Amino acid sequence: MSPRTVDAIVTLRALVDRAVPRGALVLSVLSFGYLAMGIVRNRVFANTFGAGAELDAYYAAFRLPEIALDVLVAAGLTAPFVPIYTSLRRGDEGAANQFGRTVLTGAVGVMTAASIAIFLLAPWIGDRFEGFDGPTRGLYVDLLRINCLAQILFAASFALGEVLVANRRFVWYALAPILYTGGIVVGTVAFADRFGIAATAWGAVGGAAAHLGVRVAGTLRTSFRIGPARAVRTPAFSEFVLLMLPRMASHPVELLMLTWFTVLATGLGAGSVTSFNFASDYQVVPILLIGAPFSLAVFPTLSAAFADGDALTFRTILARNLVSVALLTTAAAVALFVLSGVVVEVLLGGGRFGPEDVNRTTGVVAAFALSIPFDALAYPLSRGLYATHDTLRQAVSSFVALGVVVAVSSLLVGPLGIIAIPLAYAAGMAAKDVLLAIFLLGRLRAPRTGRLSSEG
């Protein structure tokens, strides 16, 4: 290899290192693997069960336990754990790990209590599904109870996942969702002929065990050791609980936004809800492959910079991350806008999805492309706020975004129809980005008392 070629490779690698955070490529590739495994799962479901009562009961049985897990455990963990754990580890690694074990114990305990309640109330919950006939309601109850076990395993795995993020063990972290979906696929393919949809539910439990197992394995090469702890009367755990509350309160915002869009779409003619859902599936791909993994990759570094009071490093890393996410997602948005017709025609067109459906969905996909950079930028900006031990302002920005979405969509739905939905979403995300940036600048200018100073 010639010296010129070597120099070009070194230069290219340096540029990639500056633009792409360490660990981001691993997270992006494994996120793509997770999306691909989801496609395989859906194909297996379609071939094995079709669109019938069994699969309806299965999907319905997962909703309530997943909501309980999201609200009680996942929403609160993702924001405050890494910054607090990182700050503690700067002074006393033993205290940091004790804090981690306390959070792990609490997460499992809370989810166990919620799962027991759901398990006991399952027959009563099943009776609320009046659209199901008797056998389907019975099946729903059985599947709901099976799924309760999976959510307890997830609670432990989510807590360990935050430990892995703090230690930058991204491979073990991101492999877990792939293994979970793989468990569902294996359970269905291997045992559905004999046990029906129950095999899929038990496959989900097996996948949840694999989800937890791979993260347990990932912690073995860290200083963290799994075990019970009850250090709840510490300043660190008190701060953790206080930072959890705004995240838990704002967690339903996305669901409320989705519900609002669905209500709007139902009044815009047959097929509008379907077009909206298909389009949002394509819009979210660049977010999952760029915005989310890039921001997660720098989260431990931002948290460490805050713990050290190193504002210069904090600003440099965050600014670089914002530029990378903005450029890459803008390119993805342009590509989706230009290719929206081809994407919809190739992936959806044909059969009962006729030309009118293709044209309507293409328009929604093209309009949704506008929101991609704004949606993606909210991830690094939010992680930046979380790194400064602030979750309240992120919650405020989420509720403001919801208000903008409702106002803009109400204003535009008359003249623009379904196109008002993606345009309103873009406006809401842009407003959220502006607020997050303003809040973050305020945090960086705050005095050092537990926060970053404005001086390097």
Side-chain angles (χ1 to χ4, degrees), residues 92-104:
D92 184 348
E93 191 158 13
N97 289 330
Q98 182 77 347
F99 164 74
R101 284 189 288 272
T102 301
V103 171
L104 172 63

Side-chain angles (χ1 to χ4, degrees), residues 166-251:
N167 285 278
R168 300 179 178 86
R169 307 286 292 173
F170 296 124
V171 173
W172 302 94
Y173 174 88
L175 275 175
I178 299 175
L179 294 179
Y180 168 63
T181 308
I184 295 174
V185 171
V186 171
T188 303
V189 171
F191 301 108
D193 288 344
R194 184 175 179 183
F195 299 107
I197 197 73
T200 302
W202 283 111
V205 174
H211 192 288
L212 173 59
V214 73
R215 289 186 172 176
V216 169
T219 64
L220 296 179
R221 296 188 65 181
T222 71
S223 64
F224 184 83
R225 292 297 173 262
I226 298 171
R230 294 186 297 173
V232 295
R233 296 182 179 180
T234 62
F237 192 79
S238 298
E239 182 185 12
F240 176 77
V241 173
L242 288 175
L243 291 176
M244 280 184 66
L245 296 177
R247 281 289 296 139
M248 294 171 68
S250 66
H251 185 71

Side-chain angles (χ1 to χ4, degrees), residues 128-374:
R128 304 310 100 191
F129 288 83
E130 296 179 358
F132 287 165
D133 58 23
T136 305
R137 279 199 295 271
L139 178 61
Y140 168 85
V141 170
D142 292 340
L143 297 177
L144 178 63
R145 285 174 162 170
I146 293 171
N147 189 38
C148 287
L149 177 58
Q151 303 313 309
I152 297 172
L153 297 172
F154 277 133
S157 187
F158 284 7
L160 293 182
E162 296 306 304
V163 174
L164 293 176
V165 169
N167 285 278
R168 300 179 178 86
R169 307 286 292 173
F170 296 124
V171 173
W172 302 94
Y173 174 88
L175 275 175
I178 299 175
L179 294 179
Y180 168 63
T181 308
I184 295 174
V185 171
V186 171
T188 303
V189 171
F191 301 108
D193 288 344
R194 184 175 179 183
F195 299 107
I197 197 73
T200 302
W202 283 111
V205 174
H211 192 288
L212 173 59
V214 73
R215 289 186 172 176
V216 169
T219 64
L220 296 179
R221 296 188 65 181
T222 71
S223 64
F224 184 83
R225 292 297 173 262
I226 298 171
R230 294 186 297 173
V232 295
R233 296 182 179 180
T234 62
F237 192 79
S238 298
E239 182 185 12
F240 176 77
V241 173
L242 288 175
L243 291 176
M244 280 184 66
L245 296 177
R247 281 289 296 139
M248 294 171 68
S250 66
H251 185 71
V253 165
E254 184 176 350
L255 180 60
L256 291 171
M257 203 176 292
L258 178 62
T259 302
W260 170 253
F261 285 151
T262 302
V263 169
L264 282 183
T266 56
L268 298 174
S272 295
V273 174
T274 299
S275 292
F276 160 67
N277 279 279
F278 280 143
S280 61
D281 284 345
Y282 299 132
Q283 183 269 353
V284 78
V285 172
I287 315 301
L288 295 178
L289 298 183
I290 301 171
F294 276 52
S295 61
L296 182 61
V298 301
F299 191 33
T301 308
L302 291 175
S303 299
F306 175 83
D308 291 338
D310 188 350
L312 178 60
T313 297
F314 190 102
R315 287 195 298 264
T316 300
I317 292 172
L318 179 61
R320 189 179 298 167
N321 198 235
L322 289 170
V323 170
S324 298
V325 169
L327 291 177
L328 291 172
T329 55
T330 298
V334 171
L336 184 61
F337 180 86
V338 172
L339 298 174
S340 56
V342 176
V343 169
V344 174
E345 179 65 42
V346 171
L347 297 181
L348 299 174
R352 298 183 64 182
F353 201 84
E356 183 179 347
D357 300 317
V358 169
N359 290 335
R360 180 180 57 251
T361 306
T362 297
V364 181
V365 171
F368 253 129
L370 177 64
S371 68
I372 289 175
F374 300 118

